[in-house]
Amino acid sequence: MPSLCNYGILAAEQWAIGNWQKTIAHLTALCPVPVAVCQSTTMNLKNASILVIDDDQDVLTAVRLLLKTEVKNVVTEKNPENLRWLLSKDVYDVILLDMNFTSSINTGNEGIFWLNEIKKHKSDTSVIMITAYGDIDLAVKSLKEGATDFVIKPWHNEKLLVTIKEALKKKDGKTSAAKANDVDSVVGKELIGESEIMQEIFFKIEKVAPTDANILLLGENGTGKDLMAKAIHQQSMRASKPFVKVDVGALTESLFESELFGHKKGAFTDAREDRMGRFEMANGGTLFLDEIGNISLHQQAKLLNVLQNRQISRIGSNELIPVDIRLICATNVSLAELANESRFRKDLIYRINTVEITMPPLRKRGNDIILLAKHFAKLYSNKYMKPVPEFDKKAVEKLLSYNYPGNVRELQYTIERAVIMADENVLLTKDLIFSPIEIPSVSENEPPELKLSAIEKNTILKVIEKHNGNITKAAKELGLTRTALYRRLSKYDI
C-alpha cells in the first residue's frame, strides 16, 4: 500500500482541478501509518522559510500542499524574473529552483543562471535544484555552481522533506557535505599563479578591471578564461551588479536573439510569456560572452548593432530598451584566425577588443603546475575527508613533464582522481593518471616521421569525435573506406 509520503504528483494533479477535499481524503485513506509518523522526520523544519520557483503550477501546488504544515513559511513563484525582488523582500532558508523555465530551451541554463543570481544576492541560502531524470548531468553541474542538492521529478514526498532537512543542516555547517560544497566554491573563485607570465596578467587585470573597457580573453580550453572573467568583474566598479555568462557558441541561429535580447509573448510558437534576454539581465553589470569566435556572421551583425547603439529590442517588439553593460568575451580561436573576415567581422573585433588578455597554457606556467596541484590536493582531501597528501619526488617530475592538452581543468580532475584512489598519504606516479580523452600535442623535438603519424592519429580521433563515433561518416570525411579506417584504428591502437 503506498504511503502519504509518495503522492506529491497525485496531489498536484487533483489540486489542479480544484478538488481539495477529495485529494486530502484520498491521501489520508492511503496512508498506512498515522500522519504524525510521516511528519516526525521533519520536526526541525518548523522555523524554516522556503521559496519554490517553478513554472509548472502543478509542481508549485504539490510542494505547497506538502510543506504548508511542515514549515513556518512557504512562498511559491512561477516567474523567475521576480526572484531578485523576492530576495530583497524576505529571507529564505532554502530555495527550491527548477532547472528549466522555457519549454523551447531545455538546456538547464536558466536554472544555472538563476542559481548564480541567488548566490550573488544571498550567498548563504541553500538551493535545491528541481530536475527531470534526463537532466541529471546538468543537476550535477549545478552542484559545482553552488547548489546544495537536487531532486528528480517526480519525487517521493518523504525524500523531498529529508533533502530539505539536510539542506538546512548544511547551511548551519553541521554536516561534512557542507564542507564539500565550500571546497567546490573555492575551486571556482581562487586565482593561483606565481609564474612571471601570470604575474603580468594579474598586473594587467589590476589596471583594466576598474574601467569599463571591453575585454577579449584568448587562450586554449581549460586555461581559466571563465575564472578570469569573474575576477575582472569582482574587481570592477560593477562588482555589486549582475555577472551574466552566455555560451554564445552553443546557441543555434533560432535561439540566439531570444537568448540575448529576449522576446515578447506570442512572438513565435513557443513564446508563451514575455522573456528577458541576457543583455537586460546584465544591465548595470558585466555580460560575459563565451566562445564568441564560434558565432556566425549573421549573429555577429546582430551583436554589433546592439554594441554600437547600446539598445536592444525583444523579438516581437519595436520598443528600444537601453542597456548599460561591461562586455567581456572569450574564445579559444586565435586572434589571427579571428582577423580573417570570411570568418569574423573586423569591426566587431574592434568593438569587443579594447584590451586583450591571453591566458597561457598550463605547460608554459612552470612551477605553477605544482602550486595548483597542491591546491587541488588540499581542496579534494577536505572534500573527501582524507589526509592532505604529499607528492612523491617522481610524481612532481611527472606533473612537470606532462604537456597538459586539457590545461588547468585536466590537472584539477587528475588530482581529484588521485586523491580518491590513492592508498597512501603520498601521491605516487601511479596515482597520476591523465585524461585519456585529451590528445597530447606533438613535441617540437620529435622527428618528422613521428610528427606525421601523430598528426594522422589526431586527425582521425578528431573526425571520429566530431561524428560521435560514427565510423561510416568519419571515413567519408577522411576520404577513406571503412576498411581502410579500421586498419588505421588498429595501427594506432585506437
Side-chain angles (χ1 to χ4, degrees):
M1 178 75 71
S3 73
L4 171 61
C5 298
N6 293 336
Y7 271 77
I9 301 304
L10 176 59
E13 290 173 349
Q14 293 192 342
W15 170 252
I17 61 173
N19 203 347
W20 251 106
Q21 293 180 339
K22 183 178 178 181
T23 299
I24 295 172
H26 182 60
L27 296 180
T28 303
L30 286 171
C31 188
V33 293
V35 173
V37 174
C38 289
Q39 294 176 338
S40 64
T41 61
T42 61
M43 292 300 289
N44 62 339
L45 301 180
K46 289 296 183 183
N47 294 323
S49 181
I50 311 293
L51 172 63
V52 189
I53 306 171
D54 196 302
D55 59 1
D56 187 332
Q57 186 61 52
D58 289 351
V59 170
L60 295 179
T61 303
V63 179
R64 187 191 301 114
L65 175 65
L66 171 67
L67 295 181
K68 68 171 191 166
T69 59
E70 302 290 337
V71 302
K72 179 181 177 181
N73 184 37
V74 55
V75 176
T76 59
E77 176 57 53
K78 192 173 180 180
N79 185 359
E81 304 286 350
N82 294 327
L83 197 149
R84 296 188 189 94
W85 177 78
L86 288 167
L87 291 178
S88 66
K89 179 173 173 285
D90 211 338
V91 175
Y92 302 96
D93 300 296
V94 175
I95 297 177
L96 300 179
L97 176 66
D98 192 22
M99 291 293 291
N100 288 294
F101 288 95
T102 306
S103 60
S104 62
I105 310 175
N106 293 315
T107 64
N109 287 341
E110 299 89 348
I112 297 294
F113 170 78
W114 289 115
L115 168 64
N116 288 328
E117 286 299 295
I118 292 169
K119 289 300 177 181
K120 282 178 203 168
H121 292 83
K122 303 286 182 180
S123 60
D124 61 338
T125 302
S126 293
V127 182
I128 299 171
M129 307 302 289
I130 303 172
T131 182
Y133 180 79
D135 290 333
I136 290 179
D137 286 344
L138 285 167
V140 172
K141 178 184 175 183
S142 74
L143 299 182
K144 292 286 184 182
E145 297 288 334
T148 303
D149 208 337
F150 64 88
V151 292
I152 302 169
K153 293 187 281 190
W155 60 74
H156 294 294
N157 284 348
E158 188 174 37
K159 169 63 177 173
L160 179 60
L161 292 172
V162 170
T163 302
I164 295 173
K165 181 180 177 183
E166 289 300 313
L168 288 169
K169 285 184 179 180
K170 290 177 182 180
K171 182 184 176 185
D172 294 335
K174 295 179 181 177
T175 66
S176 59
K179 294 179 183 177
N181 257 2
D182 291 342
V183 167
D184 284 340
S185 65
V186 172
V187 170
K189 292 178 181 176
E190 196 162 341
L191 290 171
I192 294 176
E194 294 180 357
S195 61
E196 184 178 346
I197 193 169
M198 288 304 295
Q199 290 303 310
E200 290 176 0
I201 287 175
F202 294 155
F203 177 76
K204 187 178 284 189
I205 289 174
E206 188 179 344
K207 289 287 187 183
V208 302
T211 73
D212 268 348
N214 292 338
I215 295 174
L216 177 62
L217 299 176
L218 302 169
E220 298 175 9
N221 287 330
T223 51
K225 296 188 291 294
D226 282 30
L227 192 60
M228 195 60 67
K230 290 177 183 175
I232 293 168
H233 172 72
Q234 289 163 2
Q235 295 182 46
S236 74
M237 304 299 288
R238 299 170 179 260
S240 62
K241 300 297 183 180
F243 174 85
V244 179
K245 176 188 172 182
V246 190
D247 185 355
V248 289
L251 297 177
T252 62
E253 289 283 350
S254 59
L255 293 179
F256 183 82
E257 287 188 67
S258 175
E259 193 72 11
L260 290 185
F261 314 135
H263 62 248
K264 299 292 287 183
K265 181 179 179 181
F268 47 86
T269 304
D270 290 318
R272 296 188 174 91
E273 59 186 1
D274 289 357
R275 187 172 190 273
M276 183 184 292
R278 301 307 196 205
F279 269 86
E280 284 184 82
M281 291 176 183
N283 195 37
T286 301
L287 180 64
F288 176 41
L289 302 183
D290 199 9
E291 301 300 341
I292 190 75
N294 295 335
I295 66 175
S296 69
L297 290 170
H298 174 70
Q299 292 169 334
Q300 291 169 34
K302 295 285 186 181
L303 181 58
L304 178 63
N305 182 59
V306 170
L307 295 178
Q308 286 175 335
N309 300 313
R310 294 287 164 163
Q311 294 178 322
I312 63 101
S313 60
R314 296 184 183 183
I315 298 175
S317 170
N318 293 322
E319 179 188 359
L320 293 176
I321 303 172
V323 288
D324 170 26
I325 56 106
R326 199 266 183 85
L327 183 68
I328 302 177
C329 298
T331 180
N332 59 4
V333 177
S334 70
L335 199 57
E337 289 182 80
L338 284 180
N340 181 349
E341 286 203 276
S342 65
R343 173 168 185 167
F344 208 89
R345 297 176 61 120
K346 282 190 177 180
D347 47 1
L348 181 56
I349 293 179
Y350 287 121
R351 281 283 173 186
I352 66 177
N353 186 27
T354 305
V355 178
E356 90 187 44
I357 297 175
T358 301
M359 297 297 295
L362 184 57
R363 59 186 173 274
K364 292 186 178 180
R365 290 179 57 180
N367 203 55
D368 282 355
I369 294 169
I370 305 304
L371 288 177
L372 287 163
K374 290 180 177 180
H375 171 70
F376 292 135
K378 181 178 180 181
L379 291 176
Y380 288 114
S381 295
N382 291 336
K383 177 175 181 177
Y384 298 115
M385 294 175 287
K386 300 183 75 172
V388 180
E390 296 292 329
F391 286 83
D392 175 76
K393 183 178 179 181
K394 290 187 177 179
V396 171
E397 292 174 357
K398 183 175 182 178
L399 287 170
L400 290 172
S401 63
Y402 184 62
N403 203 41
Y404 297 101
N407 290 296
V408 178
R409 187 183 297 127
E410 183 180 6
L411 174 65
Q412 178 182 337
Y413 294 132
T414 297
I415 299 301
E416 181 178 12
R417 187 190 301 111
V419 168
I420 293 171
M421 301 302 295
D423 297 320
E424 308 291 339
N425 290 341
V426 176
L427 294 183
L428 308 174
T429 55
K430 67 181 180 66
D431 299 316
L432 301 173
I433 303 173
F434 297 111
S435 175
I437 67 173
E438 301 290 354
I439 304 169
S441 300
V442 182
S443 170
E444 291 297 323
N445 297 322
E446 289 177 350
E449 63 273 14
L450 190 53
K451 284 187 180 182
L452 289 172
S453 63
I455 290 170
E456 183 179 52
K457 177 181 177 181
N458 291 347
T459 301
I460 290 171
L461 285 168
K462 287 178 181 178
V463 173
I464 291 176
E465 181 182 2
K466 174 183 175 182
H467 293 290
N468 299 315
N470 188 312
I471 298 298
T472 301
K473 290 183 179 178
K476 184 177 180 181
E477 180 168 333
L478 290 166
L480 300 172
T481 64
R482 281 170 53 91
T483 304
L485 180 53
Y486 277 121
R487 280 201 300 268
R488 282 167 172 78
L489 293 177
S490 177
K491 173 185 175 182
Y492 295 121
D493 196 22
I494 298 175

